[in-house]
Amino acid sequence: MTRTLSRGNAENMKPLARDFGKRPIKKKVSFRLRGTASSVAKARLLIVDFARENGFPDAELFDIGLAVGEACANAVMHAVTTRSSFHVEASLRADDIVVTVSDPGDDTLPPLLRDPDRVGGLGLFLIRHLMDHLSLDMSARGTRLTMSRRKRAA
């Protein structure tokens, strides 16, 4: 929307002041980050902001952020090289937030599934319990983790 403002015309400024600061709500966000530990926090914050902008209550934002952080940490931990990157995409489908984290990692089993005595490896367990749905696609092309959560009634 374009508004023409003339000096001293207060009527033209009222609608502009009312619209100032309003951003259109995005229904999808997508970004690629370097496979570093600092990128995990950035991804988590971007997705939590997206969920907040789309009406998810504060009580749910922690769970969504923790699940996204775990998925991104897995992408970083299983990176093929130190120069690898990972891709995060979030979209809104009805009252669900759907987040996909993909990386070019290989299709080997996560260490926890290979060695149950290994310390760590609670990421998938946490994601499974924090989100409503989880799917994991591991192939020679990389790993793709998709999770979703329905917005709870406030």
Side-chain angles (χ1 to χ4, degrees):
M1 173 184 331
T2 304
R3 290 195 179 17
T4 304
L5 295 178
S6 59
R7 189 172 214 177
N9 188 343
E11 290 304 310
N12 281 340
M13 292 189 73
K14 286 180 183 174
L16 182 65
R18 189 175 51 241
D19 293 342
F20 183 74
K22 290 185 181 177
R23 296 186 317 208
I25 294 177
K26 296 180 276 185
K27 296 297 179 191
K28 184 176 182 179
V29 65
S30 178
F31 50 90
R32 181 170 295 284
L33 296 171
R34 288 194 49 207
T36 62
S38 62
S39 294
V40 173
K42 184 174 184 176
R44 184 176 56 244
L45 289 173
L46 289 169
I47 299 302
V48 166
D49 284 346
F50 174 77
R52 182 181 292 115
E53 289 172 3
N54 282 286
F56 279 80
D58 288 343
E60 294 182 52
L61 296 177
F62 178 82
D63 290 352
I64 293 168
L66 181 57
V68 168
E70 290 295 329
C72 293
N74 283 346
V76 169
M77 190 169 71
H78 299 291
V80 176
T81 70
T82 56
R83 294 186 336 193
S84 292
S85 63
F86 63 97
H87 181 257
V88 181
E89 179 177 298
S91 60
L92 217 60
R93 295 187 190 145
D95 282 338
D96 290 0
I97 184 171
V98 179
V99 181
T100 300
V101 177
S102 54
D103 67 78
D106 60 25
D107 61 345
T108 59
L109 287 173
L112 184 64
L113 296 179
R114 289 192 310 259
D115 181 6
D117 294 329
R118 182 178 181 274
V119 175
L122 294 176
L124 292 176
F125 173 82
L126 285 171
I127 295 168
R128 193 176 305 121
H129 285 83
L130 294 169
M131 304 298 275
D132 294 328
H133 298 284
L134 167 68
S135 70
L136 185 62
D137 178 29
M138 299 169 71
S139 71
R141 294 174 304 182
T143 301
R144 180 181 177 94
L145 184 149
T146 302
M147 58 189 136
S148 66
R149 177 157 172 160
R150 180 166 297 275
K151 192 184 309 179
R152 309 292 191 252

PDB file of all heavy atoms in Angstrom, residues 1 29 56-57 59 76 103 111 116 122 139 149:
ATOM      1  N   MET A   1       0.847  -1.155   0.000  1.00  0.00           N
ATOM      2  CA  MET A   1       0.000   0.000   0.000  1.00  0.00           C
ATOM      3  C   MET A   1       0.904   1.232   0.000  1.00  0.00           C
ATOM      4  O   MET A   1       1.822   1.336   0.789  1.00  0.00           O
ATOM      5  CB  MET A   1      -0.891  -0.025   1.251  1.00  0.00           C
ATOM      6  CG  MET A   1      -1.674   1.218   1.405  1.00  0.00           C
ATOM      7  SD  MET A   1      -2.673   1.349   2.926  1.00  0.00           S
ATOM      8  CE  MET A   1      -3.086  -0.267   3.390  1.00  0.00           C
ATOM      9  N   VAL A  29       8.891 -20.253   6.502  1.00  0.00           N
ATOM     10  CA  VAL A  29      10.234 -19.692   6.641  1.00  0.00           C
ATOM     11  C   VAL A  29      11.217 -20.799   6.276  1.00  0.00           C
ATOM     12  O   VAL A  29      10.981 -21.963   6.565  1.00  0.00           O
ATOM     13  CB  VAL A  29      10.479 -19.131   8.063  1.00  0.00           C
ATOM     14  CG1 VAL A  29      10.447 -20.217   9.103  1.00  0.00           C
ATOM     15  CG2 VAL A  29      11.767 -18.362   8.138  1.00  0.00           C
ATOM     16  N   PHE A  56       1.354 -19.339  18.408  1.00  0.00           N
ATOM     17  CA  PHE A  56       1.607 -20.393  19.380  1.00  0.00           C
ATOM     18  C   PHE A  56       1.856 -19.748  20.742  1.00  0.00           C
ATOM     19  O   PHE A  56       2.623 -18.793  20.841  1.00  0.00           O
ATOM     20  CB  PHE A  56       2.798 -21.259  18.964  1.00  0.00           C
ATOM     21  CG  PHE A  56       2.447 -22.294  17.951  1.00  0.00           C
ATOM     22  CD1 PHE A  56       2.339 -21.966  16.612  1.00  0.00           C
ATOM     23  CD2 PHE A  56       2.193 -23.602  18.338  1.00  0.00           C
ATOM     24  CE1 PHE A  56       1.995 -22.917  15.670  1.00  0.00           C
ATOM     25  CE2 PHE A  56       1.844 -24.563  17.405  1.00  0.00           C
ATOM     26  CZ  PHE A  56       1.747 -24.215  16.066  1.00  0.00           C
ATOM     27  N   PRO A  57       1.192 -20.238  21.786  1.00  0.00           N
ATOM     28  CA  PRO A  57       1.355 -19.637  23.111  1.00  0.00           C
ATOM     29  C   PRO A  57       2.746 -19.889  23.691  1.00  0.00           C
ATOM     30  O   PRO A  57       3.427 -20.852  23.318  1.00  0.00           O
ATOM     31  CB  PRO A  57       0.275 -20.308  23.955  1.00  0.00           C
ATOM     32  CG  PRO A  57      -0.101 -21.539  23.231  1.00  0.00           C
ATOM     33  CD  PRO A  57       0.221 -21.326  21.786  1.00  0.00           C
ATOM     34  N   ALA A  59       3.699 -21.112  26.375  1.00  0.00           N
ATOM     35  CA  ALA A  59       3.873 -22.423  27.005  1.00  0.00           C
ATOM     36  C   ALA A  59       4.338 -23.483  26.003  1.00  0.00           C
ATOM     37  O   ALA A  59       4.991 -24.449  26.380  1.00  0.00           O
ATOM     38  CB  ALA A  59       2.564 -22.871  27.652  1.00  0.00           C
ATOM     39  N   VAL A  76      24.309 -30.953  12.978  1.00  0.00           N
ATOM     40  CA  VAL A  76      25.687 -30.462  13.137  1.00  0.00           C
ATOM     41  C   VAL A  76      26.603 -31.606  13.561  1.00  0.00           C
ATOM     42  O   VAL A  76      27.698 -31.776  13.024  1.00  0.00           O
ATOM     43  CB  VAL A  76      25.739 -29.303  14.160  1.00  0.00           C
ATOM     44  CG1 VAL A  76      27.170 -28.971  14.545  1.00  0.00           C
ATOM     45  CG2 VAL A  76      25.030 -28.078  13.601  1.00  0.00           C
ATOM     46  N   ASP A 103      20.075 -32.354   6.230  1.00  0.00           N
ATOM     47  CA  ASP A 103      21.520 -32.175   6.125  1.00  0.00           C
ATOM     48  C   ASP A 103      22.066 -33.227   5.180  1.00  0.00           C
ATOM     49  O   ASP A 103      21.402 -34.230   4.927  1.00  0.00           O
ATOM     50  CB  ASP A 103      22.185 -32.270   7.503  1.00  0.00           C
ATOM     51  CG  ASP A 103      22.091 -33.650   8.111  1.00  0.00           C
ATOM     52  OD1 ASP A 103      22.870 -34.528   7.695  1.00  0.00           O
ATOM     53  OD2 ASP A 103      21.235 -33.864   8.988  1.00  0.00           O
ATOM     54  N   PRO A 111      24.505 -43.112  16.485  1.00  0.00           N
ATOM     55  CA  PRO A 111      25.332 -43.891  17.425  1.00  0.00           C
ATOM     56  C   PRO A 111      24.531 -44.587  18.515  1.00  0.00           C
ATOM     57  O   PRO A 111      24.877 -45.695  18.902  1.00  0.00           O
ATOM     58  CB  PRO A 111      26.271 -42.840  18.017  1.00  0.00           C
ATOM     59  CG  PRO A 111      26.340 -41.768  16.988  1.00  0.00           C
ATOM     60  CD  PRO A 111      24.988 -41.753  16.323  1.00  0.00           C
ATOM     61  N   PRO A 116      23.843 -49.018  22.511  1.00  0.00           N
ATOM     62  CA  PRO A 116      22.916 -48.535  23.534  1.00  0.00           C
ATOM     63  C   PRO A 116      23.586 -48.059  24.816  1.00  0.00           C
ATOM     64  O   PRO A 116      22.981 -47.346  25.608  1.00  0.00           O
ATOM     65  CB  PRO A 116      22.023 -49.737  23.813  1.00  0.00           C
ATOM     66  CG  PRO A 116      22.475 -50.838  22.958  1.00  0.00           C
ATOM     67  CD  PRO A 116      23.661 -50.398  22.168  1.00  0.00           C
ATOM     68  N   LEU A 122      19.872 -38.522  23.290  1.00  0.00           N
ATOM     69  CA  LEU A 122      18.485 -38.360  23.729  1.00  0.00           C
ATOM     70  C   LEU A 122      17.686 -37.426  22.830  1.00  0.00           C
ATOM     71  O   LEU A 122      16.507 -37.206  23.059  1.00  0.00           O
ATOM     72  CB  LEU A 122      18.444 -37.846  25.168  1.00  0.00           C
ATOM     73  CG  LEU A 122      18.993 -38.807  26.212  1.00  0.00           C
ATOM     74  CD1 LEU A 122      18.996 -38.150  27.586  1.00  0.00           C
ATOM     75  CD2 LEU A 122      18.199 -40.090  26.240  1.00  0.00           C
ATOM     76  N   SER A 139      19.061 -41.426   3.961  1.00  0.00           N
ATOM     77  CA  SER A 139      19.438 -42.044   2.696  1.00  0.00           C
ATOM     78  C   SER A 139      20.847 -41.597   2.336  1.00  0.00           C
ATOM     79  O   SER A 139      21.463 -40.795   3.044  1.00  0.00           O
ATOM     80  CB  SER A 139      18.455 -41.643   1.596  1.00  0.00           C
ATOM     81  OG  SER A 139      18.628 -40.278   1.266  1.00  0.00           O
ATOM     82  N   ARG A 149       3.717 -30.098  15.324  1.00  0.00           N
ATOM     83  CA  ARG A 149       3.007 -29.950  16.606  1.00  0.00           C
ATOM     84  C   ARG A 149       1.770 -29.101  16.364  1.00  0.00           C
ATOM     85  O   ARG A 149       1.837 -28.059  15.716  1.00  0.00           O
ATOM     86  CB  ARG A 149       3.894 -29.286  17.645  1.00  0.00           C
ATOM     87  CG  ARG A 149       3.144 -29.076  18.949  1.00  0.00           C
ATOM     88  CD  ARG A 149       4.040 -28.953  20.093  1.00  0.00           C
ATOM     89  NE  ARG A 149       3.300 -28.565  21.287  1.00  0.00           N
ATOM     90  CZ  ARG A 149       3.745 -28.750  22.488  1.00  0.00           C
ATOM     91  NH1 ARG A 149       4.917 -29.312  22.664  1.00  0.00           N
ATOM     92  NH2 ARG A 149       3.053 -28.368  23.522  1.00  0.00           N
TER      93      ARG A 149
END
